[in-house]
Amino acid sequence: MNVKFGRSYRMTVAGRSSTPSAPINIEINFPLTLEFTITHNIFASANTANFSMYNLSVDHRSEITFNQFLKARPYPVTLLAGYISEQPKGLYSDPAFLPTVFDGFANVAYTERVGSDLITRINAIDNGDLTTGKAAGFFSGSGPDSYTAKPGTDFVTMVKAVMGHLTGGVKPGEVRIDARQLPPPLPKERPFTGNVWQALQDLAREANFAHVYIENGVCNMLGQDDVLLETGSMGILRSETGLLGVPRYTGNTIMVSSIFEPTLKIGARIELKSEFNEDANGMCKIVAYTHRGTMSGVSSREAISEITLMKLDTPLGHP
């Protein structure tokens, strides 16, 4: 049963006075008003988030004021969000057990006055700007930052080893590619040099243009028709589980909207069941989604998830 009432959140932001040896984490909780737009996708581009928080304390506003482009160091930001059960001992009765919907770094944070409100805004990116190498890591010629794959190394083992060299707190995740798309084991050793993220993109192209991406601190690589083993809690998307409106085709993808669903995962398998567009129904792969809306203890506003799906060619053994 999906718990779809009692929205809540917990946000943690590193303050500008924070240092690696003496971290200062600012915690912001419901019922303070939070507006959010969070975008995740399966492509190599970084995921982004924009947050607006209303009427924080003077101390919090002072700490959440920085520009990462002027002072090049990361400011971690994490958002847990979802639904609180009315049961006092329910799974989500404590905000600490809410799903993670964003885990990355803030680039810019500032406060501005709009009417009678003081709004603190944060622009963030998922695990740093990998395209410029700020959180990607680099291979060196020797030592712990070096890697040379030995002859006979299979492709999946090699990819996971390369993922292990990503920095910025990024952890290796799943590598799932159809055996027919996998390159053969290495005939000779293969040394890696330069940017780790670029190396992963090159490996993805070798596997028939697989997708490599980072979502909330975890790096995955999936083939075009491959899905994660971990699917999240939403296995079927229909009106009873939050589907809104009518699914619509956009090229070779399907666009759908649902009530805010914090357990979505890029690359997860999901079954779409619409009563109004049966042509779109079937097994799909989540390739992008955007959470947007407001959580507030003083006003009731919408919070939705806009999801991009790709139809799968085979059912892949959905239970």
Side-chain angles (χ1 to χ4, degrees):
M1 178 180 177
N2 286 40
V3 181
K4 294 292 187 184
F5 52 87
R7 293 197 301 254
S8 188
Y9 74 88
R10 173 175 292 176
M11 174 179 279
T12 304
V13 186
R16 66 174 181 176
S17 301
S18 181
T19 64
S21 59
I24 298 175
N25 291 320
I26 308 301
E27 190 174 286
I28 302 159
N29 291 286
F30 186 88
L32 291 177
T33 299
L34 169 70
E35 297 174 348
F36 59 92
T37 301
I38 302 167
T39 298
H40 290 282
N41 65 75
I42 201 169
F43 310 107
S45 57
N47 300 309
T48 60
N50 295 298
F51 304 108
S52 296
M53 296 156 288
Y54 282 65
N55 302 315
L56 301 182
S57 68
V58 173
D59 290 342
H60 284 182
R61 294 200 305 268
S62 176
E63 281 292 330
I64 307 176
T65 303
F66 44 73
N67 188 330
Q68 190 263 347
F69 299 104
L70 299 179
K71 188 175 182 180
R73 69 180 182 86
Y75 297 90
V77 55
T78 302
L79 177 64
L80 311 181
Y83 300 91
I84 298 292
S85 171
E86 287 186 341
Q87 301 300 320
K89 294 184 179 180
L91 175 63
Y92 296 141
S93 60
D94 183 342
F97 291 98
L98 293 172
T100 299
V101 295
F102 186 81
D103 184 10
F105 296 100
N107 287 332
V108 177
Y110 60 94
T111 296
E112 63 179 351
R113 180 179 291 277
V114 179
S116 61
D117 293 312
L118 290 169
I119 305 177
T120 302
R121 305 193 190 277
I122 296 177
N123 301 329
I125 198 165
D126 194 349
N127 297 104
D129 189 351
L130 292 169
T131 59
T132 62
K134 291 179 181 177
F138 288 86
F139 291 110
S140 63
S142 60
D145 292 329
S146 64
Y147 175 59
T148 298
K150 304 299 182 184
T153 302
D154 66 86
F155 185 80
V156 173
T157 299
M158 181 169 56
V159 169
K160 288 187 175 181
V162 173
M163 285 180 176
H165 287 266
L166 287 168
T167 58
V170 181
K171 300 177 181 178
E174 296 186 33
V175 180
R176 291 180 55 78
I177 300 172
D178 188 288
R180 294 168 295 181
Q181 310 298 335
L182 284 174
L186 293 178
K188 59 181 180 180
E189 71 176 24
R190 178 174 176 173
F192 286 85
T193 60
N195 185 293
V196 177
W197 183 242
Q198 184 60 54
L200 286 170
Q201 290 179 289
D202 293 341
L203 288 168
R205 282 190 286 269
E206 294 174 20
N208 195 31
F209 295 93
H211 290 120
V212 59
Y213 63 96
I214 293 173
E215 182 183 22
N216 294 331
V218 178
C219 182
N220 298 304
M221 184 180 291
L222 298 176
Q224 296 287 342
D225 292 321
D226 294 284
V227 296
L228 294 176
L229 287 174
E230 183 183 359
T231 60
S233 66
M234 177 174 276
I236 301 176
L237 180 57
R238 56 190 177 192
S239 58
E240 293 85 353
T241 61
L243 178 64
L244 301 173
V246 180
R248 56 199 183 279
Y249 272 98
T250 304
N252 62 346
T253 59
I254 303 169
M255 307 294 294
V256 298
S257 297
S258 78
I259 295 172
F260 172 59
E261 179 49 62
T263 65
L264 294 175
K265 288 184 178 293
I266 294 297
R269 180 184 59 206
I270 193 169
E271 183 176 0
L272 179 61
K273 287 189 174 182
S274 170
E275 298 177 5
F276 303 102
N277 186 356
E278 295 185 357
D279 289 340
N281 289 348
M283 299 300 171
C284 300
K285 175 179 178 178
I286 300 173
V287 296
Y289 61 84
T290 295
H291 298 311
R292 63 175 178 85
T294 302
M295 295 190 185
S296 174
V298 298
S299 63
S300 178
R301 305 184 211 174
E302 71 173 12
I304 66 172
S305 298
E306 297 168 333
I307 312 166
T308 304
L309 303 173
M310 184 184 73
K311 207 71 173 286
L312 293 170
D313 291 335
T314 58
L316 296 174
H318 191 284

